[in-house]
Amino acid sequence: MSIPAELKYAKSHEWIRLEADGTATIGITQHAQELLGDMVFVELPEVGRSLALEEDCAVVESVKAASDIYAPISGEVVAVNEEVESSPEKVNEDCYSAWLFKLKPANTAEIDALLDASGYEELLASEAD
């Protein structure tokens, strides 16, 4: 299973990548997309919406189930990936390229509280027990 070292992770299985422009790109992890199976629908938050930490803000639906996506940090939505809305299967093809939305972080200290790759790997191991 791929767990890129340069990303941060939420316990609710979202990944977050800090960009050079200060925004944060968010998607779901390989573990999450494998659990859900083939994606058939993605609903993303509106640009300009302010999100609180751990607020449910998007929905991904697969042939197996629908799952809420939570904001791993608080902030304002500055972009959404319209390509995954029209082609949800892109999340299955490469979940780390098929990002869902971008935030302008409201509190960068929240980013430090997220898991690094080894912490996320430990979380997955504990959930498998």
Side-chain angles (χ1 to χ4, degrees):
M1 175 169 308
S2 176
I3 304 175
E6 68 277 13
L7 304 178
K8 294 283 210 165
Y9 300 89
K11 291 180 180 175
S12 51
H13 306 292
E14 291 86 11
W15 58 260
I16 179 169
R17 180 179 58 231
L18 294 177
E19 306 294 349
D21 65 1
T23 61
T25 302
I26 293 152
I28 64 170
T29 65
Q30 182 176 352
H31 173 77
Q33 69 87 20
E34 285 178 358
L35 283 179
L36 287 165
D38 294 336
M39 297 291 168
V40 295
F41 179 76
V42 175
E43 180 182 329
L44 299 175
E46 289 185 30
V47 172
R49 180 176 166 187
S50 291
L51 300 176
L53 178 65
E54 299 178 350
E55 178 180 350
D56 62 349
C57 60
V59 175
V60 291
E61 188 174 328
S62 70
V63 294
K64 292 181 182 175
S67 180
D68 289 332
I69 303 300
Y70 300 95
I73 59 171
S74 59
E76 179 185 342
V77 178
V78 294
V80 296
N81 189 348
E82 295 173 355
E83 191 175 321
V84 297
E85 281 186 311
S86 59
S87 303
E89 68 277 6
K90 291 192 178 295
V91 174
N92 295 114
E93 292 169 6
D94 185 352
C95 64
Y96 297 110
S97 293
W99 56 276
L100 300 179
F101 58 95
K102 295 185 179 198
L103 288 178
K104 179 180 177 186
N107 181 356
T108 54
E110 293 170 350
I111 296 168
D112 296 335
L114 295 170
L115 300 170
D116 61 12
S118 64
Y120 185 66
E121 192 170 359
E122 289 174 19
L123 173 73
L124 295 181
S126 70
E127 288 183 350
D129 291 339

